[in-house]
Amino acid sequence: MVCILATRSLFLEAQEMNELWGNNSIVKESKRGKYFADGNYCMFIHWGLYSHIANKWNGKTYYGIGEWIMNPQMANISIDEYKAVANQFNPVEFDAREIVQLAKDAGMKYIIITSKHHDGFAMFHSKVNSFNIVDATPFGKDPMQELARECRKAGLGFGFYYSHNQDWTYPGGAGGPRVDSEGNTKTFDDYFLEKCLPQVEEITKNYGEIELIWFDTPGNMPEKYAQQLVEVVRKNQPTALVSGRVGYGLGDYQTLGDMEVPLTNIEGLWEGIDVTNDSWGFAWYDQNWKSPKQILKILLSTVARGGTLMMNVGPDGLGRIPSQAKESLLSTGKWIKRYPQVIYNADASPWKHSLPWGDVTTKGNKLYLTVFDWPTTGELWLPGLQSQIKEIRIVGTSKKQKLSFSKKREWTCIKVPFEAPDKLISVLEVTLDNNPIVDNTMAVDPGIGIHIPVFFSETENCSVKYKSWMEKFGEWKHIHHVSDWTQNSTATWEFIINEAGIYHVDLTYAGQGRLVWEITTDEGNVIRNQQNSSHIYSEYPIGWINFDKPGKHTITARLVEGDFEKASLSSISITPVTF
């Protein structure tokens, strides 16, 4: 895990992020990060001494992210005990060529690997500190040299993660000891000048051309030091990007919080980061693998919001990537090979948010509809498209089957086969007469309805807030929610419906005890219901409500009775009732 210290995600509201990171012309003009903006997909690798421990210490398993096993909230391993693990670390089955081939077959365009995580152990041959894989382990080789070489042969970019602020084993580093082995007081200045700065010099000088340097958790590092690190990268690797987590707005792009996809488009260069299971570093018990479809949904949703995705794998103590991660990545790679235009050099969705059945990426006058949930009715509804359509075809079939379509109010109804063309995610190519113009108002799909987060609501006497929490140590969850409810508080959503009629309303919320919610439409129709609540966000049925005419409407939620202080509303679902 890469950002455990944050009390909230690094995600900022879209307007703030656009102001900070919206201008990427400097990056493009300098030709930095040639794989980042166009490739849109990267392999992230967390590998170190913690991979050998694998979340089991003194016979006990610790549940959470493996790279934080030293932490007091995990195994609380002492520095001396942890350093002694290096004597056992011998990843004899590490195969750089195999890992690079996996990344290439998975459709990834570059690899970023941990050169030094917060534990202070260098996975490269550092001449400034002997706590490294060459000098401190029986392995005695520099796997980063091999990996960099194989990436160049395969035409993939290569780069390093480096924990620049935290170092739990070097005196003076954030989270590390305050004195050295002789009892001399050490400061952060000592750590930075003796280890951090010279190691960044090493990784930017000794491994050929670098795609980017991925700094992490700047914490309270002085800005002058962060600036020095950026200057080192600029000097030694003028075509490399610097990650936003270097701090102080000095990076070339923004990194979101761990395991996070934004709800709306973000301008400029940014990346999302996720993991093939739950732990970034290898954990022996962690078998909660993401399926190929789950990985593709994260990737497509990230690209559709305008970003790049880093998907992590955690090799074990012998250097092997778990077979389950391989299988999922290879399957996603085969899908990407069928639909490369949907990912590579693709632009964000003009709707600026997901659609009820999936998401959209674009290239010029072409829309690529990536359908996560294929309709069983034979009709796919595309809301708000105002541009003229020239043709619609199914991508991936031998003849790119042409589909018929019709317009109904603000909707395009596409006649599709009853069976999904692709067992993972099907793709439709919509060719327009010009670049896309859309009304991106939320729209209730006539077949499956819609789920709308409170992020898209207007509130009165309360506010939308953002929070993150860990289900288990290091497994981040993110949500927008409305809290601070009073009798006069409301959350209101605007949306479009295609047909007048009866719709079922559900609310997703957390709280304590029974809560009474009232739902009101702009036409004056009202429903109320009492449901229970818990600290876990769950969806609860409120009931049926009528819309008397098609078109744009608003719907308002109000808390009527219950524990106002504990209530937290996260979304509304509106589903047509079919008779």
Side-chain angles (χ1 to χ4, degrees):
M1 185 274 190
V2 292
C3 193
I4 196 75
L5 291 184
T7 57
R8 64 185 295 270
S9 156
L10 290 183
F11 174 76
L12 302 173
E13 298 297 349
Q15 182 177 358
E16 295 174 345
M17 290 191 72
N18 292 342
E19 290 173 357
L20 284 171
W21 305 96
N23 185 357
N24 62 9
S25 61
I26 296 175
V27 172
K28 290 184 176 180
E29 289 170 6
S30 67
K31 299 180 180 179
R32 291 203 290 267
K34 61 184 179 182
Y35 299 100
F36 184 100
D38 296 337
N40 287 340
Y41 194 27
C42 162
M43 176 179 280
F44 206 6
I45 302 177
H46 276 63
W47 190 38
L49 288 187
Y50 44 81
S51 308
H52 176 79
I53 297 171
N55 284 49
K56 192 171 185 178
W57 186 254
N58 291 335
K60 180 179 178 180
T61 294
Y62 292 86
Y63 299 94
I65 49 175
E67 66 279 13
W68 279 70
I69 190 67
M70 283 185 73
N71 190 272
Q73 295 183 58
M74 294 281 278
N76 196 23
I77 304 173
S78 71
I79 293 173
D80 289 342
E81 288 178 305
Y82 190 80
K83 282 189 168 183
V85 173
N87 298 324
Q88 308 162 31
F89 186 45
N90 193 18
V92 292
E93 295 191 34
F94 170 79
D95 188 328
R97 183 175 300 175
E98 182 179 302
I99 291 173
V100 170
Q101 191 62 51
L102 172 62
K104 191 166 187 176
D105 291 342
M108 295 158 161
K109 294 298 184 180
Y110 56 104
I111 292 175
I112 305 300
I113 187 168
T114 48
S115 64
K116 187 206 80 164
H117 209 279
H118 308 328
D119 62 353
F121 181 74
M123 291 295 290
F124 63 98
H125 191 198
S126 174
K127 294 183 179 179
V128 301
N129 185 263
S130 62
F131 190 43
N132 69 74
I133 192 168
V134 176
D135 296 324
T137 79
F139 187 63
K141 294 182 292 184
D142 186 341
M144 302 299 106
Q145 289 286 1
E146 298 176 43
L147 203 56
R149 182 169 58 249
E150 293 300 328
C151 279
R152 284 193 292 274
K153 287 182 182 178
L156 299 188
F158 177 71
F160 287 117
Y161 167 112
Y162 189 88
S163 174
H164 59 315
N165 176 53
Q166 296 192 72
D167 193 308
W168 302 332
T169 53
Y170 194 86
R178 300 295 91 190
V179 296
D180 63 16
S181 58
E182 298 177 356
N184 300 311
T185 299
K186 290 288 183 175
T187 67
F188 187 85
D189 295 347
D190 296 318
Y191 153 72
F192 182 81
L193 297 172
E194 294 170 4
K195 185 177 183 182
C196 177
L197 185 62
Q199 283 195 335
V200 172
E201 287 273 8
E202 289 177 326
I203 62 175
T204 54
K205 281 182 175 179
N206 301 335
Y207 297 89
E209 186 177 354
I210 299 295
E211 170 69 10
L212 67 84
I213 301 296
W214 212 94
F215 294 107
D216 193 19
T217 61
N220 295 321
M221 169 181 273
E223 182 176 358
K224 65 177 182 178
Y225 286 157
Q227 182 64 54
Q228 277 186 258
L229 294 176
V230 173
E231 289 169 359
V232 166
V233 178
R234 297 281 184 256
K235 177 188 68 174
N236 297 334
Q237 295 287 340
T239 62
L241 291 172
V242 174
S243 73
R245 291 194 186 181
V246 70
Y248 301 101
L250 297 172
D252 293 311
Y253 65 89
Q254 175 72 8
T255 302
L256 300 193
D258 300 350
M259 308 170 184
E260 178 177 23
V261 177
L263 295 175
T264 191
N265 289 12
I266 299 171
E267 299 295 328
L269 290 179
W270 63 271
E271 70 184 355
I273 55 174
D274 215 311
V275 61
T276 45
N277 49 349
D278 289 336
S279 176
W280 302 82
F282 179 75
W284 76 265
Y285 69 87
D286 187 358
Q287 299 297 315
N288 188 29
W289 301 101
K290 288 182 175 66
S291 69
K293 185 170 184 177
Q294 285 176 299
I295 293 174
L296 283 172
K297 287 173 72 174
I298 294 168
L299 173 59
L300 290 165
S301 297
T302 299
V303 176
R305 303 286 75 76
T308 288
L309 180 67
M310 297 175 71
M311 181 59 67
N312 183 77
V313 294
D316 66 14
L318 292 174
R320 304 169 299 186
I321 294 177
S323 61
Q324 300 91 332
K326 286 183 183 179
E327 290 169 9
S328 279
L329 291 177
L330 289 173
S331 180
T332 60
K334 290 175 182 176
W335 187 95
I336 293 170
K337 192 172 183 179
R338 293 195 294 274
Y339 314 104
Q341 67 273 41
V342 177
I343 303 294
Y344 305 133
N345 202 27
D347 293 321
S349 169
W351 279 266
K352 299 186 178 181
H353 54 72
S354 64
L355 297 174
W357 40 256
D359 227 316
V360 180
T361 63
T362 67
K363 270 189 182 174
N365 69 330
K366 292 185 185 294
L367 303 174
Y368 293 101
L369 314 185
T370 55
V371 187
F372 304 161
D373 299 305
W374 189 258
T376 58
T377 59
E379 296 178 334
L380 183 78
W381 294 88
L382 185 61
L385 180 61
Q386 298 174 352
S387 305
Q388 289 294 114
I389 298 174
K390 295 173 70 173
E391 67 173 19
I392 303 176
R393 294 183 180 272
I394 297 175
V395 184
T397 56
S398 56
K399 296 182 180 179
K400 289 185 74 175
Q401 180 183 347
K402 194 172 180 178
L403 301 174
S404 63
F405 59 92
S406 59
K407 293 287 288 188
K408 188 171 184 180
R409 300 186 183 92
E410 297 90 351
W411 298 75
T412 301
C413 180
I414 306 170
K415 297 295 184 180
V416 298
F418 288 98
E419 184 177 350
D422 194 294
K423 66 179 182 179
L424 289 177
I425 294 172
S426 299
V427 179
L428 305 184
E429 180 186 80
V430 181
T431 303
L432 307 175
D433 64 353
N434 211 322
N435 290 337
I437 301 172
V438 305
D439 175 354
N440 66 354
T441 304
M442 291 290 176
V444 180
D445 189 273
I448 59 178
I450 193 171
H451 178 88
I452 317 178
V454 295
F455 177 84
F456 298 101
S457 69
E458 294 290 334
T459 58
E460 288 190 14
N461 300 312
C462 54
S463 58
V464 177
K465 298 178 181 178
Y466 188 83
K467 70 175 179 179
S468 302
W469 71 95
M470 293 185 289
E471 292 290 325
K472 56 178 173 282
F473 190 84
E475 184 189 348
W476 285 98
K477 302 295 180 183
H478 312 277
I479 201 167
H480 288 84
H481 68 119
V482 177
S483 57
D484 302 322
W485 289 91
T486 70
Q487 290 283 357
N488 299 318
S489 301
T490 60
T492 300
W493 295 262
E494 183 181 55
F495 56 92
I496 299 171
I497 59 170
N498 186 266
E499 296 286 352
I502 298 173
Y503 290 77
H504 187 91
V505 176
D506 298 272
L507 293 179
T508 299
Y509 58 84
Q512 183 169 301
R514 292 184 175 86
L515 302 177
V516 178
W517 294 94
E518 179 180 273
I519 303 296
T520 307
T521 72
D522 57 313
E523 297 173 316
N525 298 320
V526 181
I527 56 175
R528 280 192 185 188
N529 203 347
Q530 182 190 70
Q531 297 287 7
N532 206 351
S533 66
S534 75
H535 69 283
I536 299 172
Y537 285 91
S538 302
E539 188 172 66
Y540 298 91
I542 304 302
W544 290 9
I545 200 163
N546 195 67
F547 290 98
D548 302 326
K549 61 181 185 298
K552 283 192 178 181
H553 288 277
T554 60
I555 195 166
T556 298
R558 183 168 70 91
L559 182 59
V560 179
E561 296 178 21
D563 190 332
F564 285 78
E565 185 179 344
K566 297 280 191 345
S568 173
L569 177 67
S570 68
S571 63
I572 190 169
S573 295
I574 306 169
T575 310
V577 177
T578 303
F579 293 95

